[in-house]
Amino acid sequence: MNKSNTYIFIYSTVMVVVVASLLAMASNVLKPFQEKNLEIAKKLEILHSVDKGWDASSADSKNAYVDGEYAKYIAETLVVNASGDTISGQDAFMVDLVKEMEKDSSARSLPVFVCHQDNGGVNYIFPVQGKGLWGPIWGYVSLKEDMNTIAGVFFDHQGETPGLGAEINTLWFQKPFIGKKLFNASSQFVAIKVAKTGEPREAEHSVDAISGGTITSKGLQNTIFDSMQMYLPFLTKNKK
Amino acid sequence: MSQMFSSKNLKLLTNPLNLENPITVQVLGICSALAVTVKMKPAFVMALSVIIVTAFSNLIISTLRKSIPVRIRIIVQLVVVASLVIIVDQVLKAFVYDVSKQLSVFVGLIITNCILMGRLEAFAMANKPWESFIDGIGNGIGYGWILIAVSFVREFLGSGSVFGFPVMEKIGAYSIGYVNNGLMIMPPAALIIVGVIIWIQRSRTKSLIEKE
Amino acid sequence: MENHINLFVSSVFVNNMVFAYFLGMCSYLAVSKTVKTAVGLGAAVIFVMIITIPVNYLLEKYLLVEGALTWISPKLAELDLSFLSFIMFIAVIAAIVQLVEMIVERFSPSLYNSLGIFLPLIAVNCAILGGALFMQQKEFSTVWESATFALGSGIGWAIAIIALAALREKMKYSNVPAPLRGLGITFILVGLMAMAFMGFMGFKI
């Protein structure tokens, strides 16, 4: 079946057009579902940082459960600028932190999520974003009303080494963050140190690193420091 | 209808399960077989995806086989396979997001799963669409059952559960001191389990034993 | 620089394409009977990796992801073509493999003969496409990082296949139970090698 060049050319052109339109169609039809999944995943991460939403996998309808919990606890969101003032007209949930971090610090709009707990307490949730050993790591840090004490955290990663760096998304690693403080006694911003065994540490500002996951641990330490530093003016203004 | 399921066609379906198994005999498609077998659920989804892609790529290529110019046939095959895989990937992302996250890059790697190109070259380019379709399903299932078998052993011994159901916890094995075997969830276990499956299969079917 | 060394060492040893991700297993098992062909295929894989991964990185960054096309016209900022990435990657790989095949045929007919049908098979070597997909997943910030990753992954794969070939040459003299002969024992061998490579996992750099 040796066909002429013209035939091959026409054949490939037709193939490319057919395949491209087919794929574009499939991608368009499925996009809303995929976006809904991403939205649910993000909402769940935010809820986890305030110790909520743990029944998602056993719920009858995961989407309905997550949407419900989110609407119940995260009723309020704000977007703040680099000097810590609230800006209006933007949806905090839609802000892409990765893109904001590429901008000049003065042009950034930074999302803050506010959680009203059942007992009347208020937590402020801040997204964090950075790099581990193999790729991006991200998460949410929630603070108590004093804008200093950590109420809960959630971290996840894309491709850290299983059993080592990948442990940052487990509860045993995340629980010790609760109660740690971002500012020291003289109100200086020190964030959280992820310390290896034997490294000097201050109990209020350090958690244990993952043994063997040094680069991921350091990456997470920098992630928290860099991301929370962007919110520093906001934190100082609202500190109690 | 009887012609469609003639004994010859049934052979196409059953041979790949044992005598011509793509993984243990033809040595095709091992890459993804080993990487997604830590838990049964992703292994099952992977097996299903591969069955769908092999069946339909065989069908499409076989239908087109007379019109495909020889010189660009590999590219045509790759394009057909890649498009099917993209569709599968998009569907997984839309409807079983958690599983698609676990499978990560391995859905994309179905494209380079040697079963596909192997069957397209060896079978679909020379046979009628319906036979090719059956051949695709047969090889997909032959691949799939090895995947399920390996993942069953790994999940049961490594995580103490079957299809996510915590068997070991329910029968109270942990309280009497049973501990999961952590090696099972590590990569080497998959290789050794496949080696053992080959051992068992060839002990039972002597004709498959390799000559010195 | 430190970052590059980390990435390189991790991709050679810790996240070895063969022992941690099982990529490129088909040709890995089929061409590992003698050290000579293993070296040839290993070199070919390194070469193809180093070219395809950075090329795919640039394509991904300037053509496929959302907002990548702004360099043509700001109007295209919303366009997201990432669903085409699989096809794009595999096409680039197939083209480059074709090129390598022609070069090898021209300059080293003996290598070409001994690699036989496995050179075209590099196009469907999962390690190559896997490399491109991991590159996409890891979101490297510069093309140089992707090149370091490509070099490391290629070398890791080559080390793995040469080591296995050397072992299999020696295996000829051992008395393996008949049903395990050939493929069966090779799997178990690779399993044991993977276990040894797991020792690199706690590696502190």
Side-chain angles (χ1 to χ4, degrees):
Chain A
M1 263 177 292
N2 268 320
K3 306 270 163 80
S4 69
N5 282 343
T6 337
Y7 180 81
I8 293 180
F9 187 74
I10 295 171
Y11 196 92
S12 5
T13 316
V14 170
M15 181 177 77
V16 166
V17 170
V18 169
V19 164
S21 45
L22 207 68
L23 291 178
M25 207 172 72
S27 147
N28 268 335
V29 171
L30 296 170
K31 197 137 210 173
F33 295 98
Q34 294 168 356
E35 274 166 2
K36 183 72 192 169
N37 284 333
L38 290 176
E39 180 194 325
I40 292 293
K42 184 170 176 181
K43 282 182 174 172
L44 202 55
E45 287 176 354
I46 296 174
L47 287 169
H48 283 342
S49 76
V50 281
D51 201 21
K52 292 282 180 299
W54 295 110
D55 299 325
S57 50
S58 56
D60 291 333
S61 160
K62 186 179 166 185
N63 289 8
Y65 169 80
V66 175
D67 278 335
E69 291 286 282
Y70 186 85
K72 185 173 158 201
Y73 291 108
I74 319 285
E76 191 188 342
T77 60
L78 9 140
V79 179
V80 299
N81 62 14
S83 42
D85 301 316
T86 316
I87 30 185
S88 55
Q90 284 195 58
D91 181 1
F93 192 79
M94 299 311 288
V95 175
D96 184 348
L97 197 63
V98 183
K99 285 196 183 135
E100 296 301 324
M101 286 170 91
E102 285 167 3
K103 293 182 192 167
D104 278 348
S105 64
S106 56
R108 284 176 191 153
S109 29
L110 307 162
V112 180
F113 305 91
V114 187
C115 165
H116 293 272
Q117 295 278 12
D118 291 331
N119 60 14
V122 180
N123 294 148
Y124 294 86
I125 306 168
F126 304 90
V128 295
Q129 179 81 40
K131 273 187 83 168
L133 167 63
W134 281 107
I137 52 180
W138 66 92
Y140 294 89
V141 172
S142 69
L143 298 181
K144 293 197 176 142
E145 279 153 275
D146 63 359
M147 295 288 181
N148 183 11
T149 318
I150 290 182
V153 292
F154 178 83
F155 304 116
D156 210 345
H157 64 95
Q158 196 160 63
E160 300 305 304
T161 325
L164 300 172
E167 296 287 303
I168 61 165
N169 66 6
T170 55
L171 279 180
W172 73 260
F173 179 76
Q174 293 169 6
K175 280 271 181 253
F177 279 86
I178 298 171
K180 304 287 175 191
K181 291 185 163 51
L182 294 180
F183 297 90
N184 66 12
S186 46
S187 288
Q188 251 180 329
F189 177 69
V190 288
I192 304 296
K193 187 165 185 185
V194 186
K196 286 198 275 190
T197 345
E199 266 188 298
R201 58 173 78 188
E202 297 160 82
E204 275 201 322
H205 308 295
S206 316
V207 293
D208 286 330
I210 305 158
S211 46
T214 314
I215 298 172
T216 312
S217 302
K218 283 281 165 264
L220 185 65
Q221 178 180 320
N222 295 337
T223 300
I224 298 173
F225 188 90
D226 295 344
S227 306
M228 294 311 290
Q229 201 174 29
M230 299 192 301
Y231 287 97
L232 212 50
F234 177 79
L235 297 180
T236 344
K237 267 183 195 166
N238 295 282
K239 225 168 131 184
K240 279 172 196 157
Chain B
M1 198 64 187
S2 64
Q3 208 192 348
M4 282 176 104
F5 290 102
S6 64
S7 63
K8 200 175 121 237
N9 283 355
L10 275 181
K11 265 230 161 67
L12 289 176
L13 198 61
T14 54
N15 263 351
L17 301 189
N18 186 20
L19 287 179
E20 285 170 21
N21 190 284
I23 292 183
T24 61
V25 181
Q26 302 180 52
V27 210
L28 296 175
I30 296 156
C31 323
S32 52
L34 301 168
V36 298
T37 50
V38 177
K39 291 271 166 65
M40 287 185 81
K41 198 174 163 197
F44 183 76
V45 174
M46 185 73 181
L48 214 59
S49 314
V50 170
I51 293 173
I52 291 170
V53 177
T54 39
F56 284 97
S57 62
N58 259 5
L59 179 71
I60 293 171
I61 290 294
S62 166
T63 317
L64 296 175
R65 72 183 185 282
K66 285 191 181 125
S67 72
I68 298 175
V70 179
R71 266 194 280 166
I72 58 163
R73 72 169 199 288
I74 299 274
I75 294 283
V76 175
Q77 290 168 1
L78 278 175
V79 167
V80 169
V81 171
S83 322
L84 284 169
V85 170
I86 291 175
I87 292 175
V88 167
D89 181 51
Q90 301 265 338
V91 170
L92 290 181
K93 271 198 192 127
F95 298 110
V96 276
Y97 181 68
D98 295 340
V99 180
S100 95
K101 242 170 86 181
Q102 279 171 8
L103 290 173
S104 74
V105 302
F106 290 97
V107 179
L109 287 175
I110 299 179
I111 299 173
T112 50
N113 191 320
C114 334
I115 295 181
L116 288 162
M117 296 299 284
R119 292 325 289 172
L120 290 180
E121 276 287 287
F123 199 92
M125 286 301 283
N127 286 281
K128 290 207 195 82
W130 175 247
E131 277 88 5
S132 304
F133 186 69
I134 296 191
D135 180 78
I137 291 184
N139 276 285
I141 296 176
Y143 166 90
W145 87 256
I146 301 275
L147 228 65
I148 303 281
V150 175
S151 62
F152 172 77
V153 177
R154 288 182 78 184
E155 187 178 342
F156 185 65
L157 297 179
S159 315
S161 54
V162 174
F163 241 100
F165 181 78
V167 182
M168 285 298 177
E169 196 186 312
K170 287 279 186 283
I171 61 171
Y174 295 127
S175 53
I176 55 168
Y178 175 81
V179 180
N180 286 329
N181 184 347
L183 181 65
M184 280 295 156
I185 56 175
M186 294 307 202
L191 289 156
I192 293 174
I193 294 169
V194 175
V196 171
I197 291 179
I198 294 176
W199 190 2
I200 297 171
Q201 190 194 19
R202 294 189 182 181
S203 309
R204 296 182 56 210
T205 323
K206 298 279 188 229
S207 59
L208 290 176
I209 292 175
E210 287 175 41
K211 295 193 186 63
E212 294 224 38
Chain C
M1 195 60 214
E2 190 198 3
N3 183 17
H4 283 258
I5 297 171
N6 274 334
L7 190 62
F8 178 76
V9 177
S10 318
S11 43
V12 175
F13 295 108
V14 187
N15 289 291
N16 186 289
M17 278 281 171
V18 174
F19 297 125
Y21 299 117
F22 311 108
L23 294 179
M25 278 305 240
C26 305
S27 34
Y28 180 71
L29 294 172
V31 191
S32 58
K33 283 184 184 126
T34 62
V35 173
K36 200 172 160 242
T37 45
V39 172
L41 189 66
V45 166
I46 297 178
F47 185 69
V48 175
M49 279 261 199
I50 298 179
I51 301 176
T52 54
I53 292 182
V55 168
N56 278 333
Y57 176 85
L58 293 173
L59 281 175
E60 158 95 8
K61 199 164 176 191
Y62 294 106
L63 276 182
L64 296 177
V65 292
E66 193 174 350
L69 289 167
T70 34
W71 60 272
I72 299 177
S73 149
K75 278 182 210 146
L76 297 172
E78 294 289 301
L79 202 59
D80 181 4
L81 293 177
S82 41
F83 65 93
L84 285 175
S85 60
F86 292 171
I87 281 205
M88 190 68 116
F89 290 170
I90 198 74
V92 168
I93 291 167
I96 287 174
V97 167
Q98 196 81 52
L99 201 70
V100 172
E101 197 185 348
M102 289 192 304
I103 294 172
V104 172
E105 193 180 7
R106 171 86 176 70
F107 292 106
S108 171
S110 64
L111 182 63
Y112 182 76
N113 287 335
S114 62
L115 287 179
I117 63 160
F118 290 107
L119 211 45
L121 270 187
I122 290 186
V124 285
N125 184 321
C126 346
I128 310 276
L129 182 65
L133 294 176
F134 277 120
M135 171 277 293
Q136 185 185 30
Q137 198 191 46
K138 290 183 203 306
E139 298 177 10
F140 292 123
S141 43
T142 63
V143 66
W144 302 113
E145 272 181 34
S146 76
T148 310
F149 169 72
L151 182 67
S153 303
I155 290 180
W157 199 87
I159 289 178
I161 192 168
I162 295 167
L164 180 69
L167 284 171
R168 285 182 79 175
E169 281 192 352
K170 295 275 177 270
M171 285 278 294
K172 278 185 222 148
Y173 308 107
S174 353
N175 188 13
V176 179
L180 263 180
R181 213 179 285 148
L183 191 58
I185 194 69
T186 310
F187 266 106
I188 292 177
L189 206 58
V190 180
L192 294 174
M193 286 166 73
M195 246 184 248
F197 265 72
M198 268 170 64
F200 287 116
M201 265 170 64
F203 215 57
K204 289 202 180 78
I205 307 157

